[in-house]
Amino acid sequence: MQFLRTAFWVVIAVALAFFCMANYVPVTVRLWGDMVMETKLPVLLIGAFLLGAMPFWIMARATRWRMKRRLESTERALVAATASAAPATPVAAATVTTPILPDATPSPLTPTGQA
């Protein structure tokens, strides 16, 4: 699976490199008012992509952080519940016995009642 992920990113990087080489021309961008910015086309497109992806990346990181906190809280509660419940309720070991016929040899998979 790691190989497929690496191959995917290599293909994307090579395609992006070819796109940048073919379209490395200056463009003029009019901002607000009379402000003008002159930049290369690939820089403008990559910057716009990263600016658009940033809110989703932040949202994914926040969700991951929140879920990790919930999981850790649940794990702590489970450990506390099992630690407090373990000494209060001892469980007796049950012994299972099966009768063995005189002419039958017990197989290793059948319980014999001996521990």
Side-chain angles (χ1 to χ4, degrees):
M1 190 58 124
Q2 182 70 26
F3 172 75
L4 292 176
R5 183 183 311 164
T6 303
F8 171 75
W9 285 113
V10 167
V11 168
I12 294 294
V14 168
L16 185 63
F18 282 136
F19 173 79
C20 291
M21 288 175 18
N23 295 303
Y24 202 71
V25 295
V27 292
T28 303
V29 179
R30 290 191 187 131
L31 301 171
W32 49 89
D34 58 349
M35 292 180 61
V36 176
M37 180 178 74
E38 195 165 312
T39 184
K40 301 292 183 182
L41 183 61
V43 174
L44 180 67
L45 292 178
I46 292 171
F49 171 77
L50 292 176
L51 188 64
M54 192 179 348
F56 295 103
W57 181 77
I58 291 171
M59 187 174 58
R61 295 290 294 183
T63 302
R64 186 176 185 187
W65 176 74
R66 186 172 54 246
M67 291 297 163
K68 185 183 272 189
R69 284 189 56 201
R70 286 179 65 187
L71 179 63
E72 289 171 356
S73 171
T74 305
E75 287 175 345
R76 282 193 304 269
L78 179 64
V79 167
T82 56
S84 66
T89 57
V91 177
T95 306
V96 177
T97 58
T98 57
I100 299 176
L101 300 175
D103 59 343
T105 59
S107 92
L109 299 177
T110 59
T112 60
Q114 299 170 357

